[in-house]
């Protein structure tokens, strides 16, 4: 089976042809997300024509329920939620929330293998949350499970930097400034890290998990030893582990393809 997998976000669209095991059959292509829904539809239509596939697997930002995008994020263009994927390509398709796709990829083939109760946080411009409970993907009765505004996003980090008098808003530049001894950058990173710990504590108090994997650009600046030490102080009875995701930027593509193959 050949599956054309897409990962559609507010800043970029990634796509690749995969097999039913989530293996990439060609190089992952990445383009900036267009400003209109018509342009997004054209990209999907043309890509499907160029790649002979048995179906589409689409990971997308927003709340997905019953194969439909019910709540479009503000960083995707108006009308995106009304795209008819069957009409575009004539192929069967699966639409899935991008964090749900990513956590499934990590659960099946990545850092969360072997964990029956776990979660994934994607730390990017915003924070996404995917949940695995009792070995099953959990999205709630309306597809909105995990849709919480955690105060540990890239937007939060940029705002903290401004509050501390920094002109830089790039997370890696701020992180490097902190390592070099810049007091404002150190204060910024420390507050952001405290916010992340608070988010993880909140998740675990509700769900009592075995593990949480972190993905996205900001996951690369996390001090995992420090985070795990702080979490254990709050859960002395718990064995929860915080770890880096393994599939990283391709997790949405892989997870969407795996879920499409299972449902088909």
């Amino acid at each position: 089976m050949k599956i054309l997998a897409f990962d559609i976000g507010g800043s970029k669209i990634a796509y690749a042809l995969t097999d039913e095991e989530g293996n990439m059959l060609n190089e992952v292509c990445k383009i900036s997300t267009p400003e209109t829904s018509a342009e997004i539809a054209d990209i999907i239509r043309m890509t499907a024509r160029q790649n002979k596939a048995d179906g589409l697997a689409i990971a997308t930002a927003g709340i997905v329920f019953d194969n439909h995008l019910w709540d479009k994020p503000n960083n995707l263009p108006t009308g995106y939620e009304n795209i008819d994927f069957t009409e575009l390509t004539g192929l069967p398709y699966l639409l899935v929330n991008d964090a749900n796709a990513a956590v499934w990829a990590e659960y099946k083939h990545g850092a969360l293998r072997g964990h029956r109760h776990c979660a994934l946080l994607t730390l990017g411009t915003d924070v996404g949350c995917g949940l695995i409970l009792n070995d099953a993907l959990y999205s709630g009765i309306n597809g909105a499970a995990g849709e919480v505004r955690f105060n540990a996003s890239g937007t939060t980090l940029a705002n903290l930097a401004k509050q501390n008098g920094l002109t830089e808003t790039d997370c890696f530049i701020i992180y490097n400034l902190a390592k070099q001894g810049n007091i404002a950058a150190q204060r910024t990173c420390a507050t952001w890290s405290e916010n992340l710990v608070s988010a993880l504590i909140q998740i675990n108090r509700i769900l009592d998990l075995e593990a949480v994997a972190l993905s996205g650009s900001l996951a690369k600046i996390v001090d995992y030893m420090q985070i795990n030490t702080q979490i254990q102080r709050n859960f002395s009875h718990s064995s929860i582990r915080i770890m880096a995701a393994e599939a990283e930027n391709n997790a949405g593509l892989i997870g969407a393809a795996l879920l499409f193959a299972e449902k088909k």
Side-chain angles (χ1 to χ4, degrees):
M1 183 189 301
K2 292 184 179 180
I3 304 161
L4 183 57
F6 288 87
D7 189 352
I8 301 176
S11 60
K12 68 174 177 61
I13 296 175
Y15 60 89
L17 198 64
T18 78
D19 63 16
E20 65 272 18
E21 299 294 329
N23 299 308
M24 303 295 173
L25 301 179
N26 56 16
E27 186 176 350
V28 177
C29 297
K30 297 178 182 179
I31 58 174
S32 297
T33 303
E35 296 183 358
T36 69
S37 58
E39 290 174 289
I40 294 177
D42 285 341
I43 289 169
I44 295 169
R45 184 187 298 109
M46 289 188 293
T47 306
R49 286 176 181 171
Q50 295 165 0
N51 294 271
K52 187 176 181 180
D54 299 297
L56 300 179
I58 304 161
T60 180
I63 296 175
V64 177
F65 178 68
D66 196 23
N67 225 23
H68 181 74
L69 181 63
W70 291 97
D71 187 10
K72 179 190 71 65
N74 293 329
N75 58 359
L76 283 167
T78 301
Y80 170 70
E81 70 274 22
N82 297 320
I83 293 176
D84 187 329
F85 296 102
T86 300
E87 184 180 78
L88 279 180
T89 66
L91 296 171
Y93 74 93
L94 175 70
L95 192 66
V96 60
N97 170 268
D98 51 2
N100 288 342
V103 75
W104 193 248
E106 293 294 337
Y107 167 73
K108 297 295 285 188
H109 297 309
L112 297 173
R113 287 187 307 271
H115 296 290
R116 299 186 60 224
H117 314 278
C118 51
L120 176 135
L121 290 185
T122 56
L123 307 176
T125 305
D126 291 314
V127 179
C129 179
L131 302 170
I132 300 291
L133 302 179
N134 290 319
D135 287 321
L137 180 64
Y138 182 75
S139 57
I141 60 172
N142 295 305
E147 292 291 325
V148 180
R149 290 199 173 275
F150 297 110
N151 199 23
S153 65
T155 301
T156 297
L157 184 65
N159 289 336
L160 287 170
K162 291 177 182 177
Q163 291 170 20
N164 286 308
L166 292 171
T167 56
E168 297 290 350
T169 57
D170 181 273
C171 64
F172 295 106
I173 293 177
I174 295 169
Y175 176 68
N176 286 326
L177 286 172
K179 289 177 65 178
Q180 293 164 15
N182 184 291
I183 300 300
Q186 289 176 343
R187 190 181 300 119
T188 296
C189 290
T191 303
W192 179 82
S193 182
E194 289 169 6
N195 291 349
L196 176 59
V197 170
S198 295
L200 293 166
I201 289 172
Q202 179 182 359
I203 292 171
N204 200 45
R205 281 182 176 158
I206 296 170
L207 298 173
D208 193 15
L209 300 169
E210 298 170 274
V212 178
L214 304 180
S215 69
S217 57
L218 273 74
K220 295 179 175 61
I221 69 171
V222 171
D223 184 333
Y224 287 91
M225 183 178 295
Q226 181 184 42
I227 289 285
N228 276 290
T229 299
Q230 291 175 294
I231 294 295
Q232 288 303 319
R233 287 174 185 162
N234 287 271
F235 298 101
S236 58
H237 64 287
S238 173
S239 59
I240 185 173
R241 289 180 56 233
I242 314 303
M243 62 191 74
E246 293 179 5
E248 295 187 340
N249 293 336
N250 292 331
L253 296 175
I254 296 169
L258 290 170
L259 287 166
F260 176 89
E262 291 189 19
K263 289 186 180 297
K264 187 168 178 62

